[in-house]
Structure formats: C-alpha cells, structure tokens
Amino acid sequence: MQNDIANITAASVDQLGALLAQIADLTKQADLIKDAIKDSASNGGAKSVEGSLFKATYTETNRCVFDKDAFIKVHGAEAYARFTKVSAVFSVKVTSK
C-alpha cells in the first residue's frame, strides 16, 4: 500500500478500521497471557517460560517518574514552562459508524 494521499479511498478507511479492530482483539488476548505470566511469576512461579518458538521472561524493575504537578506547586508554572518543549503531533482517529 502506498503512502500517497491520492490513493486513500473509503475502502482503505474500512480496511484500516478492520485492521485496528483485529489489533485490539489480539492485544487483549496477548495482555491476558502476559497478566497470567506476571501473576504466576510474582507469586513464586517460574520467571521464564519457553515455548517451541518463543521465550517469555518476567522481570521486576523500578520506574522513576517526574511529578509535574508537584514541581509546579513548589517552583511555579513559569519555571516548568521554561523547560517544556512543544512538538506538533499528527494522528488519525478511527471510529465505527
């Protein structure tokens, strides 16, 4: 499929919607399996499971997240704005009719 906007048709949009629906279903199935692996491993089960083609490994890490609201409370919105970068974002939203 080409990226040329002139080739976008109603059928292309319908195909996109169908593909995104399939992706959503597959993601839901994958998430259920990943959740089962996480639940089992965090409760003392195997941390690594090997299939015939793939291997799944459970890991635990700590994530450090910047608390924007707390920063603004302490230092003010102006201080936050001085270090904020604005970028243009383009997206396509697909909804069913």
Side-chain angles (χ1 to χ4, degrees):
M1 180 174 280
Q2 297 180 6
N3 288 334
D4 187 354
I5 191 72
N7 293 328
I8 300 300
T9 64
S12 298
V13 173
D14 287 343
Q15 182 182 17
L16 174 61
L19 290 169
L20 292 172
Q22 288 176 349
I23 290 168
D25 288 342
L26 292 170
T27 299
K28 195 179 296 183
Q29 291 176 41
D31 287 345
L32 288 172
I33 295 169
K34 287 193 281 187
D35 287 345
I37 292 169
K38 289 177 199 173
D39 290 345
S40 174
S42 64
N43 289 315
K47 305 278 189 213
S48 182
V49 180
E50 291 191 38
S52 300
L53 302 174
F54 299 97
K55 176 180 177 180
T57 304
Y58 170 83
T59 58
E60 295 179 21
T61 59
N62 292 321
R63 178 181 295 178
C64 181
V65 178
F66 178 74
D67 187 342
K68 176 187 96 169
D69 295 332
F71 179 90
I72 290 173
K73 277 185 181 178
V74 173
H75 300 286
E78 296 79 20
Y80 178 74
R82 285 196 311 265
F83 296 96
T84 302
K85 178 181 175 185
V86 177
S87 302
V89 176
F90 303 93
S91 63
V92 174
K93 180 178 181 181
V94 179
T95 58
S96 62
K97 290 174 45 172

